[in-house]
Amino acid sequence: MRTSFLQSLYLQRPVTLMILLCALTVLPWIGLGEFSTKGEPREAAVAISMMETGNYILPKTYAEEFAYKPPMAHWLMAVFSLPQGHVSEFTARLPSALAFITMIGFILGFFGKRIEKFQIPIIAAFLLITCIEIHRAAMTTRVDMLLTSFMVIGLIQLFRWEEMLELKGLPIAIPILLGCAVLTKGPVGLILPLFVFFVYLLILGKYRFWRIVKALFYITISSLFLPMIWYVAAWQQGGEDFLEVVLAENFGRFFSMDTPDIHYELGHERPIYYNFTTLIAGFIPWTFIVFFSLFGLKIRKPEKSFKQILADCWQKIRSMEKVYLFSLAVVVCVLFFYSIPASKRSVYLMPAYPFIALFLAQYILYLAEYRTKVTRIFAAFMASVTAIALVALLLTAFGVIDPVALTARFTPRTDIHHTVSTIAGLFTSPDLLTIVILLSVATSLGVVCYQMFRKINLKILYATIGLMICIHFMIDGIIMRGERMSNSSRPFAEKIMNEFPLNKKNIYVTNDLREYTNLYGMNFYMGNIFHNFETVQPGAGYFLSTESDLKKIELKYGDTYVFQPLAITPDRNKEVRRKIVLSSFERR
């Protein structure tokens, strides 16, 4: 009965099945573990400020600094947090998780209606669920997954507009989606989709140039209506300082401009090849099967001239099915677009991932059908790695292996020893969740091994996908849970809040990233109550900083203030990679 139901769901309701699987891979895990990086608490603190002050336009966050990113993600965090009255790790990560689930549903529906082989869109969706980059973004409190979802769904609606209406009229969904993308991370949410659509229409060769320009103009005007309401309101609150930050974030970062008027470096400068290496890393583990497929390829000397080869390639591109042509345009345009600025990050390329997954799924299905050894080698490789990991974890659970002692041979850092000890403790003293996850991994490993003895390669592929999903369960439910538990700023924040009379009026930090380090995790877990020491220069109070920053402040203000250290973290904080110190201070 169960098999019949699953087969019916797979064949007749694949979108429903995929949405359920997506939810299973992210929703149970986003509430496990506290913030242990600087990016997540930095974004979550904006939602705290919104809820506490009622300012949903340009709220003040770290040390009374206004939030410099558009507020769509923070609005959603605040909305999801309203029922419980406070922002938690779960509600802060929920917008990314729901955006991921929604995007996968749209992608599967979009590809599924236009591709004859139904396995290709299903495999493409599975690749997105299990690849490192997209899964990681779906699990974190950042704006990138939400931006990607709005852009990808917006691109799908642009394609459907041309496909079904031939650029006549303008479906309201397009300006809403692209407007929300702008409200998530700025003008790039509109510029990049329109650039892709412009290139696609040119290659399509169906419309005159000025007809295309006219269509894009209408989209631009209508998509900017909602964002401009916020930008004007934010400018009225933030004035020239707000404009400087907007220009620096959206144009200074893209064109590598000097921004001396803002107090942080734009950073993330990388060479062009970084985009390609990060794609390879982002699609792990599926890049391994591509790597294995390279062995045994027969390279033939081309019989045509290079010019003729290029002409043939262009002809093949022009003759592609529209869904493949559009996907190719997205991939090429996104890579080209983000090769221009010096600032490069792996998450910038995420709008291309669903469309790369389409081609990758087609190739993997081809390998399963015609180069069967590659699929089996890949399955055997992943099964072997998983089996070795399970054996090592079982030996750790029974005390045969001491991970902390092994780690100590390679590094003397006590913070790393503490992290390893915390993760190992989840195996030596497992709770019910750990046991269930390990059993699911072992079961999926057994299914892969069983299918390896059979001759249906497609089942081997799906069994391997199931193994990847269970591996993600283990990473998110055990390893990352332990890593976050051991590296969170929360214990030290609660300790000093309980032991010292800290409140909204007497706790100070620095806020100049060109000189000092910001403590975003401490700010979140202390309730966003910091003030800027250098701006206020109070008579007395408490000062929170890293050890190295405290020395800088003492050198700079030693003639004016006396600082007395009161508490220090036992190990280096992972977020700032230094120990954090609470000091009292008073004027001389």
Side-chain angles (χ1 to χ4, degrees), residues 47-48 75 86 106 116 155 181 239 302 321 340 489 514 584:
I48 291 179
W75 286 343
H86 68 279
F106 270 90
E116 187 174 349
L155 284 167
E321 293 181 33
I340 297 173
S489 298
R514 295 181 185 269
S584 62

Side-chain angles (χ1 to χ4, degrees), residues 555-567:
L555 286 173
K556 188 174 182 179
Y557 295 97
D559 295 337
T560 309
Y561 290 94
V562 176
F563 292 86
Q564 179 62 45
L566 302 174

Side-chain angles (χ1 to χ4, degrees), residues 2-18 20-21 122:
R2 183 180 300 173
T3 303
S4 175
F5 171 74
L6 291 176
Q7 286 179 345
S8 173
L9 199 61
Y10 171 73
L11 295 172
Q12 299 177 20
R13 299 179 181 270
V15 176
T16 302
L17 175 63
M18 201 61 63
L20 291 174
L21 282 173
I122 289 176

